[in-house]
């Protein structure tokens, strides 16, 4: 059984050596990969001198790095962790056991149930984590505690079937939704989170990255739950049409005349558009079901190739 530790790295010269050494100690038999993402400091050289397998990813963004890692590396267990030394390497042993024993396809290192809110000093990050968690759990009827953690474990089947579309930090949200949508086995493991050391700066931009995460969330909601999504749009349009139509109807019963003909025509158009949108959702729902059946077949092929 082979375990690979995957460390995306961008300007982490202050911490990358410690992260590598900590994981070498926690998982002495694992291969440790560092993919440098155009660092302008000495991260690449330090990682190489510390004994990691170091490669370069020239397309900027964490999503691009993870995509290359998942394509390049074959293993039975994958452990993905940030290079900023905010996650405990000691937790990786339990993550590895859960993956290799087939008890999970994705293990989430749950920061939010332990020390995250005390350690993290960026107030809007805390609020953003809570908002995204609430939205995903509501939309997908789930109970995930930490949506955007940077420490996770994955099975071979998950990694080789995950079609990554994110380019940057929204990758964590995409992973969670993909696992929920395709019924992968998810386990959460509470871990101790520690804030960045002095001099080490976060690459996250609270507002721009938060906007990307929310946009991704609603885009995936539309694509994954099309009937529900387009039914909601239909309902909103019908409510708007009803608000304008019923006063016209009341006036007609009272006077026998329709005084607001242009408004009535507009209401009729909105109602027709609402019906078209609803049936669009029905068609996309059928296509989505066919896609899910094809995906299950794809998973079976991945499992067979792994056995060979």
């Amino acid at each position: 059984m082979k375990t690979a530790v995957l460390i995306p790295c961008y300007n982490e010269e202050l911490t990358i050596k410690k992260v590598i050494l900590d994981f070498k100690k926690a998982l002495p038999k694992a291969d440790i990969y560092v993919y440098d993402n155009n660092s302008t400091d000495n991260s690449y050289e330090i990682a190489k001198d510390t004994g990691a397998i170091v490669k370069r990813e020239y397309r900027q963004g964490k999503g691009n790095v993870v995509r290359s890692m998942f394509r390049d590396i074959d293993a039975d267990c994958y452990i993905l962790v940030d290079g900023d030394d905010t996650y405990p390497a000691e937790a990786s042993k339990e993550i590895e056991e859960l993956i290799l024993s087939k008890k999970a396809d994705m293990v989430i290192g749950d920061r939010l149930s332990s020390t995250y809110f005390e350690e993290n000093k960026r107030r809007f990050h805390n609020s953003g984590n809570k908002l995204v968690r609430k939205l995903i759990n509501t939309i997908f009827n789930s109970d995930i505690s930490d949506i955007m953690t940077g420490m996770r474990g994955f099975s071979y089947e998950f990694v080789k079937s995950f079609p990554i579309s994110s380019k940057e930090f929204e990758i964590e949200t995409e992973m969670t939704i993909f696992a929920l949508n395709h019924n992968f086995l998810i386990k959460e493991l509470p871990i101790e989170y520690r804030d960045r050391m002095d001099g080490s700066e976060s690459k996250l931009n609270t507002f721009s990255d938060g906007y990307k995460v929310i946009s991704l969330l609603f885009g995936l909601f539309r694509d994954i739950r099309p009937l529900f999504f387009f039914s909601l749009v239909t309902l909103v349009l019908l409510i708007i049409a009803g608000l304008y139509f019923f006063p016209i109807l009341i006036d007609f019963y009272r006077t026998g005349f329709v005084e607001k003909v242009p408004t009535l025509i507009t209401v009729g158009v909105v109602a027709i558009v609402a019906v078209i949108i609803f049936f669009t959702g029905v068609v996309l729902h059928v296509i989505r079901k066919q896609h899910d059946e094809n995906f299950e077949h794809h998973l079976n092929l991945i499992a067979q190739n792994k056995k060979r």
Side-chain angles (χ1 to χ4, degrees), residues 53-267:
I53 303 168
V54 187
K55 298 185 179 183
R56 296 189 188 273
E57 171 54 56
Y58 295 102
R59 292 168 296 182
Q60 195 65 41
K62 185 176 180 180
N64 289 321
V65 177
V66 174
R67 181 188 295 109
S68 292
M69 286 177 157
F70 282 8
R71 286 177 179 173
D72 296 347
I73 300 167
D74 289 330
D76 300 289
C77 171
Y78 300 79
I79 297 176
L80 178 68
V81 66
D82 292 339
D84 56 9
D85 193 34
T86 57
Y87 297 93
E90 299 77 22
S92 61
K93 190 63 180 176
E94 190 170 352
I95 292 175
E96 181 187 49
E97 290 173 359
L98 287 169
I99 296 296
L100 294 181
S101 64
K102 303 296 183 182
K103 294 179 181 178
D105 292 297
M106 180 172 74
V107 179
I108 294 174
D110 174 16
R111 312 158 297 167
L112 304 190
S113 297
S114 58
T115 56
Y116 181 79
F117 294 113
E118 291 77 22
E119 288 287 326
N120 183 39
K121 306 301 190 296
R122 291 152 290 180
R123 180 165 53 92
F124 290 110
H125 286 206
N126 296 342
S127 303
N129 270 287
K130 291 178 181 178
L131 174 61
V132 173
R133 178 177 64 181
K134 180 66 175 176
L135 286 173
I136 288 180
N137 284 333
T138 300
I139 293 172
F140 295 95
N141 192 29
S142 58
D143 189 27
I144 304 296
S145 298
D146 193 350
I147 303 296
M148 297 190 290
T149 179
M151 187 175 192
R152 297 170 188 257
F154 306 100
S155 66
Y156 177 86
E157 289 78 9
F158 182 96
V159 165
K160 296 306 180 182
S161 64
F162 180 31
I164 301 175
S165 60
S166 301
K167 296 179 180 179
E168 298 180 1
F169 286 101
E170 63 270 27
I171 179 68
E172 285 95 355
T173 305
E174 186 180 10
M175 288 174 175
T176 304
I177 294 175
F178 177 77
L180 288 170
N181 180 54
H182 290 291
N183 199 32
F184 280 103
L185 186 57
I186 302 173
K187 294 288 185 182
E188 291 195 278
L189 178 67
I191 59 173
E192 297 293 321
Y193 176 87
R194 51 184 177 261
D195 206 5
R196 282 176 169 267
M197 65 180 294
D198 292 338
S200 176
E201 297 182 359
S202 173
K203 314 306 183 298
L204 282 168
N205 183 294
T206 302
F207 297 103
S208 64
D209 288 315
Y211 173 76
K212 291 173 185 175
V213 169
I214 297 298
S215 298
L216 173 74
L217 173 58
F218 280 100
L220 290 174
F221 175 38
R222 177 200 61 211
D223 297 341
I224 292 171
R225 305 279 297 276
L227 183 58
F228 188 21
F229 178 85
F230 286 102
S231 294
L232 287 178
V233 176
T234 299
L235 180 62
V236 170
L237 290 177
L238 290 177
I239 289 173
I240 293 172
L243 291 174
Y244 284 93
F245 174 71
F246 283 110
I248 296 174
L249 183 63
I250 292 171
D251 288 340
F252 174 76
Y253 279 121
R254 188 169 54 202
T255 65
F257 295 98
V258 176
E259 297 180 356
K260 299 179 180 179
V261 175
T263 302
L264 183 60
I265 294 173
T266 302
V267 167

